[in-house]
Structures are given as C-alpha cells and as structure tokens.
Amino acid sequence: MPHGPGCSPLPLLLIASLTLLVATHRVLAAPSTLRELAQQRGFHIGAAVAIPFLADTDYRETLRHQFNICVAENAFKMESLQPYRHQFNFNDADQLAAFAQTNHLRLRGHTLVWHSQMPWWLSHGQWTRDEGLRIMEEHITTVMQHFKGKVYAWDVVNEAVSDQAPWGVRTDNFWGKTVGADYVEKAFEFARRADSQAVLYYNDYGAEGAGPKADAVFQLLKQLKAKNLVDGVGWQSHFESGWKADKGYVANAQRLAQLGLEISITELDFRFTLPSTPEKLATQAESYRSMLRFCLSQPNIKAMVLWGFTDKSSWIPHFFKGQGDALIFDQNYRPKPAYDALADVLLH
Ligand code: G3I
C-alpha cells in the first residue's frame, strides 16, 4: 500500500497498538464481580459465612471476590460465644473478623439476644428477672466491646415479635418468660451503652412486607426509636422462589425511612422443591432480580445479605424437606442464573 508524505506506517501502527492497549485495559478493568459492581453503586452485597468452610479455597476466594459485607451464620450466637457462664470463646468469630478485615468486607454481628441457640447452662437454668438481665448485660457488653471497631452493625435482638395475634413482643420464649416483655428494650439499652458507635438493628422474619407482624414490628421500632435505641431493621427474607417485591414492601420501607431507620436484607434466599430444572432456576433468578431492584430503589436500604452463597452450604435442605438450591452459586461454586440476574441489575 502506497503511503503519502508524512504518513509513514509507524504512527499508524503505534495508534493501532495504543487503541488495542486501551481497549484491553478497559476489559480488564471493567468491574466483573458482584462486589465491584456493588461498590460502584455504593451498595453492600454479602453473605452469611459457615466458619468451617473458610478452610476451603474456592469458598474463601468466592467470598472475598464477590462480596463486600459478611456475617457469621452461627459463630456469633450465644451458644458459640459463651458456652460456659462467664467463659467466652471467640476463636471462630475472631477468624471471620480477621478475614473481613484483611479482605475489606464489612462485618455484621448476628445475634446478641435470641431465644434459640442459647448455651445449655442458660436455657436449662432457673433465673430471676434480675439474674436474666445481668446475664444479658454481661453477654452484650463483653461481646460488643471485644468486636468494637470490627463489627459495624449488630442484630441486637432477633425474632422477638410473635407470629400470631395478639402480636407484640413474645412473652412465651426464654427471654420473655425470664425478663418480661421489656427484654427487647433492655437489650438495646445495654447495646447502646456497650458501643455507642455501632449501628443497632432489630432483625426478624415475616415482617418484610405488609401485614400484622410488620405492623407490630413497626410499633416496637417506633417506641425504641423515640428513645434513640435503634438504628435499623433487618428483614431476613427467607422466601420461596417466585417471590416478587410488591407495593407492601415499598410502603413498609418508606414508613421505616420516615421513622429514620435504615434497612438491611439480612438472610436472603429463595428455595424451591428439588430437583432443579432450568425453568426453576430462571424463576429463582427473577426473584433475586426483583429483590435487588427493590433494594436499589429505596435509599434507606443499605445492604442485601444472602444466607450463604453456595448451594454446598445452606440451612434449607436441613429445615425444609425436599427443598434446596436457594443460593446464587451451585455446589461447585459455578454462578447460577440468579448470579447473572444480580450482576445485570447492578450494571444497569
Ligand atoms: O453445634 C452442632 C455441631 O456440634 C454438630 O457437629 C453439627 C452437626 O450437624 O450440628 C451443630 O449444630 C447445628 C448448628 O446449626 C451449627 O451447624 C444445629 O444442629 C442446627 O440446628 C443449626 O442450625 C442453624 C439454625 O439457625 C438454628 O436455628 C442454621 O445453621 C442457621 O442457618 C440458622 O440461622 C437462622 C438465623 O440465625 C436466624 N433466622 C433464621 C435462620 C434460619 O433458621
């Protein structure tokens, strides 16, 4: 090919190579994980961690590359942290805190006061109200001070509101029976005192959308907020595949925002009856898509945390006979259609 004066092939070649270099760089630099995509939008996407799985390289690598927030599935519960009275065991919980710190993931603390997964010495003892309060205060104070600066938000109380009429705080569980219905308020008082910087959450299921339980949780939060004891509400969101966000979720999120509370989706999964089929996976992907779209449409929703991330480790098959595959990675850590749906929402 002839070249005119001043049009030597060298600059053309140089321009072509530079263009290629820039294009390659763009591809390489383009955000490619959920974590990177979420980061660009100032959103937190995360997962619950089963500590024994941290030894598995695929598990660890997926966790740190894909998510920017995490929580322990069991290691921060009272039976794990205070197996014997006054004797705390932080080994597993510290392992997750170190992992989160090294890999720059935010860490949620789940959960300080719950009527389940309590240590044997506590659930099998006879306690007066004052003793119950003292035990609660010691636990909250010791744990929160241990993780000060490492755990940014705590589920101070988990699942305290009844599932049936007359709704309201349960008096039929361990804490309700031992302390009384004000156990929730007391727990928040102790938590505020233990770490004034921590974000304090109330966490529950069945109170995400419209309904009497959501109303009861709202009333409880209103009382706590009036005393400046609570900052956020966790919507567990253990749903069946096929779920879609409706007007009830929007209305509930907005009234909580007006109250000055943030929301986190804290335990998300969408289960279905096994065996899996491409159709079931597609339906599940749409549920995940709907949830993330909803989250991003509400400014007070700060995070979306899944209850696990690989179908290799999930509570669902143990608790719902014949159901499973509720998460976004399969048993071999391959992304499922649900993963692609989340990436797609974050990209657009
Ligand atoms: O501690 C024993 C361990 O010693 C033994 O080796 C192992 C053998 O299976 O069992 C261990 O206990 C299990 C524990 O998880 C730790 O793996 C319990 O049997 C099992 O019941 C327990 O289940 C946990 C459940 O909470 C308890 O209520 C699930 O992993 C955990 O995903 C689930 O999480 C809860 C949230 O905290 C609150 N919201 C609901 C959610 C789902 O139930």
Side-chain angles (χ1 to χ4, degrees), residues 47-234:
V49 179
I51 305 300
F53 276 79
L54 273 182
D56 175 339
T57 309
D58 287 337
Y59 187 93
R60 232 179 22 245
E61 291 301 299
T62 309
L63 180 62
R64 76 188 182 93
H65 282 120
Q66 296 292 346
F67 302 107
N68 55 5
I69 184 170
C70 63
V71 62
E73 186 176 356
N74 289 301
F76 279 67
K77 292 173 180 172
M78 195 172 179
E79 70 172 359
S80 308
L81 292 182
Q82 200 183 160
Y84 305 100
R85 193 166 184 195
H86 308 305
Q87 288 182 38
F88 289 80
N89 178 352
F90 291 113
N91 291 346
D92 283 358
D94 278 347
Q95 208 184 313
L96 183 61
F99 178 89
Q101 210 165 24
T102 307
N103 295 294
H104 309 290
L105 275 79
R106 271 189 159 188
L107 180 59
R108 307 190 78 254
H110 171 84
T111 173
L112 293 166
V113 175
W114 191 22
H115 55 266
S116 184
Q117 288 180 285
M118 297 198 315
W120 197 91
W121 63 265
L122 180 57
S123 55
H124 287 75
Q126 291 292 321
W127 313 99
T128 63
R129 170 180 158 89
D130 281 352
E131 286 167 337
L133 284 171
R134 233 176 303 141
I135 289 166
M136 185 193 271
E137 183 173 18
E138 180 191 342
H139 186 75
I140 290 176
T141 308
T142 307
V143 172
M144 285 184 80
Q145 286 182 351
H146 180 86
F147 290 106
K148 217 172 216 171
K150 293 180 178 163
V151 168
Y152 92 100
W154 286 96
D155 290 338
V156 177
V157 178
N158 191 43
E159 301 174 6
V161 171
S162 170
D163 289 332
Q164 52 204 356
W167 312 102
V169 172
R170 299 171 71 134
T171 45
D172 60 350
N173 66 18
F174 172 86
W175 292 108
K177 280 189 207 152
T178 309
V179 171
D182 65 342
Y183 85 85
V184 176
E185 189 173 323
K186 288 287 173 199
F188 277 92
E189 276 175 26
F190 298 145
R192 201 49 114 209
R193 221 174 290 147
D195 182 357
S196 60
Q197 302 300 306
V199 182
L200 305 186
Y201 269 71
Y202 173 74
N203 191 52
D204 212 333
Y205 62 86
E208 298 92 345
K213 183 162 175 182
D215 292 344
V217 168
F218 183 75
Q219 288 312 321
L220 172 66
L221 292 167
K222 214 170 155 181
Q223 289 161 19
L224 293 171
K225 182 65 185 170
K227 297 179 179 171
N228 188 30
L229 291 175
V230 69
D231 307 305
V233 55

